Amino acid sequence: MEIGLFYFHALFLMPRLLGPQKIKILFNFSLLVIVLVIYLGGLIGVSYFLDYIGLRNSPLTVNRTFILTLVWRAILFLMYASGYFFLNRFIQQTKKQSERSLELARMKTKMLQLESDYLRSQISPHLLFNTLNFIKFAAKHKPHQSEEAIMLLTETLDFSLSKSKDGLIYLHEELRQVNNIIRINQLRFNEKLHITYHLDPISESIKILPISILSVVENLFKHGDLLKKDHPATIIIIKAPHHLVIKTENLITNNSNSNLQGKGSGLSNLHERLYETYGEKRFSLKHGKDGILFKLELIIPIVSV
């Protein structure tokens, strides 16, 4: 009977008293009184029965002390039942909050992935436009170069759309696309671009953010003047103990349209992607004019697998 009183109060009465649709206090109180009367009457009846069959250790005396003892036990079990109800409700609310937090984290991760994919795709339009114009011209005048450009562009675009589980790719795969971009632009300008490319010996186990170095190199072709032999563009990739250092330098183009079209969106997108991947203090992206030159330095942490 005490167990019944406990669960009736915890699982039936309390949820209706404090639930979303609260029943009237008077009705709730009346129901509780009825249950207590049934509880007390049942215990007294059981006590008489045990006394009748001789299973009590002492004779039954129904007096004030006996009734108060039963009432106190009832109140004690009601207190336990109320505590059980509030504890159980707290556990359920905590579980729901955890599930909501987990779902929000999943949604945030998904949104960041979608944003990263969008920013990552920003490399393609400028490269695609210029290369397709070249292919259109070369198809009539230099078919062999047109075929090579199509193969290089296809590989680069396929690379830009590929994904990995951890959001990183092997450095040597990125550098292959850097070589592709350099080759495509050399084809466009009839091998007249002046570029100095220095690359330290790099382990094939190093992984980096996709299209990070590629964005830097594309920016060099997009806004630089690489036709002056006295001011060749430079691309330097150095492996430090814990970081990868990428430096570029190019003569600033006099083509005002190039500066108007770019507006630095490529480097801004790169900065956002680096921030999402490495955090604010684990990478460095510095760039700006130095006289007639534009200089850029990117430092990213080395991730080896």
Side-chain angles (χ1 to χ4, degrees):
M1 294 188 69
E2 289 170 343
I3 293 174
L5 177 66
F6 177 92
Y7 283 110
F8 175 83
H9 185 69
L11 303 180
F12 181 81
L13 215 54
M14 290 295 290
R16 284 158 178 74
L17 180 63
L18 300 177
Q21 298 179 345
K22 299 178 181 179
I23 61 177
K24 294 182 179 180
I25 296 178
L26 180 61
F27 175 78
N28 188 69
F29 179 75
S30 301
L31 189 61
L32 180 60
V33 170
I34 292 173
V35 171
L36 287 176
V37 169
I38 294 174
Y39 167 76
L40 293 174
L43 286 183
I44 292 174
V46 170
S47 298
Y48 272 117
F49 176 74
L50 294 176
D51 184 64
Y52 176 76
I53 62 178
L55 292 181
R56 288 181 57 86
N57 295 326
S58 59
L60 175 64
T61 303
V62 179
N63 53 21
R64 181 180 178 184
T65 301
F66 178 78
I67 298 298
L68 289 178
T69 300
L70 295 183
V71 170
W72 169 245
R73 289 179 63 83
I75 293 174
L76 193 63
F77 273 89
L78 290 177
M79 292 172 60
Y80 287 150
S82 298
Y84 172 80
F85 167 78
F86 285 114
L87 176 61
N88 190 55
R89 188 168 73 165
F90 172 77
I91 292 173
Q92 294 299 324
Q93 290 176 346
T94 303
K95 182 179 178 181
K96 289 180 180 179
Q97 290 176 355
S98 299
E99 291 174 350
R100 284 197 295 266
S101 298
L102 182 60
E103 185 62 27
L104 288 174
R106 289 173 180 168
M107 291 177 62
K108 183 177 179 181
T109 301
K110 183 65 176 178
M111 290 298 295
L112 289 175
Q113 182 62 48
L114 291 173
E115 182 180 1
S116 178
D117 291 343
Y118 169 75
L119 294 175
R120 178 174 172 172
S121 68
Q122 300 304 297
I123 186 173
S124 302
H126 181 266
L127 175 66
L128 183 63
F129 177 77
N130 287 333
T131 307
L132 289 178
N133 276 342
F134 167 74
I135 291 173
K136 179 181 178 181
F137 169 80
K140 295 181 179 180
H141 304 90
K142 301 177 181 179
H144 64 285
Q145 290 189 353
S146 174
E147 182 180 349
E148 182 182 1
I150 290 173
M151 292 178 61
L152 294 171
L153 179 62
T154 300
E155 183 180 343
T156 300
L157 292 180
D158 182 64
F159 172 79
S160 70
L161 296 175
S162 63
K163 296 181 180 180
S164 60
K165 293 182 179 180
D166 58 0
L168 303 175
I169 50 97
Y170 287 104
L171 176 59
H172 65 86
E173 295 177 1
E174 176 99 353
L175 295 179
R176 178 178 174 85
Q177 305 312 314
V178 169
N179 291 330
N180 285 350
I181 283 191
I182 293 175
R183 181 57 187 160
I184 288 174
N185 282 279
Q186 286 288 16
L187 290 173
R188 286 179 53 219
F189 289 92
N190 199 27
E191 310 288 349
K192 293 182 179 180
L193 299 181
H194 300 282
I195 305 171
T196 301
Y197 184 18
H198 171 78
L199 174 64
D200 273 357
I202 304 260
S203 169
E204 291 192 354
S205 64
I206 295 177
K207 301 187 78 173
I208 63 168
L209 175 69
I211 314 185
S212 50
I213 301 178
L214 209 56
S215 295
V216 170
V217 174
E218 192 205 13
N219 186 76
L220 182 148
F221 289 108
K222 189 175 181 180
H223 301 295
D225 182 354
L226 284 66
L227 296 172
K228 301 292 191 301
K229 186 176 181 180
D230 295 337
H231 295 91
T234 60
I235 304 171
I236 301 174
I237 302 177
I238 303 171
K239 181 181 179 297
H242 303 290
H243 293 83
L244 204 63
V245 182
I246 302 96
K247 296 182 179 180
T248 64
E249 182 179 302
N250 61 271
L251 185 65
I252 298 174
T253 180
N254 292 324
N255 184 359
S256 59
N257 290 331
S258 175
N259 292 326
L260 290 174
Q261 291 173 1
K263 297 183 181 180
S265 60
L267 295 181
S268 297
N269 290 344
L270 174 60
H271 187 278
E272 289 185 36
R273 295 178 60 235
L274 290 167
Y275 179 82
E276 291 172 5
T277 302
Y278 298 114
E280 183 177 5
K281 297 181 179 180
R282 297 192 62 205
F283 78 94
S284 172
L285 177 60
K286 300 177 182 178
H287 55 83
K289 295 181 179 179
D290 184 5
I292 60 174
L293 300 176
F294 180 86
K295 296 183 178 181
L296 180 145
E297 181 185 71
L298 171 62
I299 302 176
I300 54 178
I302 289 178
V303 179
S304 297
V305 294

